[in-house]
Amino acid sequence: MTAADDTSLLHGGDPSADLSSFRQALGQFATGVTVVAADGETGPFAVTANSFQSVSLEPPLILWSLRRQSSKIASFLQADHFAVNVLAASQTELAGHFARSGGDKFAACEWSRGLHGVPLLAGVAAHFECAKVAEHDGGDHVVFIGKVERYACFDRSGLIFAQGRYALAISHPGRPSDLQIDGHPRDDFFLPLLARAYAYLAGAFSEHHSAEGVTTAESRVLAFLATGSGASAEAIAARTFLGENTVQDALAKLIAGGHVAPRPPGALVITESGLALLGRITARARAFEAEKLADLPAEDVAATRRVLRELAARGGG
Ligand SMILES: Cc1cc2nc3c(=O)[nH]c(=O)nc-3n(C[C@H](O)[C@H](O)[C@H](O)COP(=O)(O)O)c2cc1C
């Protein structure tokens, strides 16, 4: 089967024909999120980066890349050392914080200095203190190679970035098994049950977004704008757990489709057509849920919803 025969094909071909589609394809590769930080003449500086990669174990080498257009490119080219802070699942705000330029970024967060003064953020999943050993041309980016001089790994789950949005790493639900743990069926624990139920429902719902011609990100942006008008792209990214590029791409498409209108200076509002589209997506969600639960006793569904709501509230959801 060729790509063109696959009915799930969204787009493809020459990357230069549509950069946002190309970026969407790259976003199918899930990464973690890091804040790469160094110390300079005017104090510490840092950027959020998901281009981090391990390269070699012996010697211990890693890489990351920075846009040539970045306001920090000169500082990183000058720095001999840098730290890669691998963000923990709870640190989405920190990711947004270091993805915005301007201001004293370090005044608002807890950090300390490591080897050669590199900034180490508190509460991360891991950090790597590196000596810069090479810089390579990477088109519109510069690729930095670092040799890890010291690292620390903490008992925290890392934040994930996939399909242009922040995500959590949950274990793959795997296949149902009849394994018992201390006489309790392993599959009957809440966590594996929730994971498998989630995988079943989430996979099945994405086709409804496609049927309305929107991505999950566009639907999330619309839902956020419906809660109050006049938001900026930055505020939308912070509240929807989407990356800023994803928000920009989603907004461009929603504006072109007449579902969102820019209201100067810099504010965005949902239009009548946007509200109608959101209404259709919500109706699909309701119908989808009703269909999946139709053959289950109503009182069981109501009790399950109460339990899930309570657990979500305890987790701050
Ligand atoms: C999740 C995420 C990952 C990012 N990864 C990179 C990256 O690997 N390289 C890069 O140059 N910019 C990346 N960025 C964008 C930079 O963080 C952002 O452009 C920069 O911090 C803004 O400051 P500047 O304009 O001064 O560079 C990322 C942003 C986010 C939200």
Side-chain angles (χ1 to χ4, degrees), residues 47-51 65-67 70-72 98-99 101 161 166:
V47 286
T48 300
N50 69 336
S51 51
S65 64
L66 180 64
R67 268 183 329 132
S70 167
S71 64
K72 284 150 209 124
F98 284 103
S101 356
F161 195 68
Y166 296 109

Side-chain angles (χ1 to χ4, degrees), residues 1-13:
M1 184 166 77
T2 66
D5 299 328
D6 188 332
T7 53
S8 299
L9 178 68
L10 293 172
H11 42 71

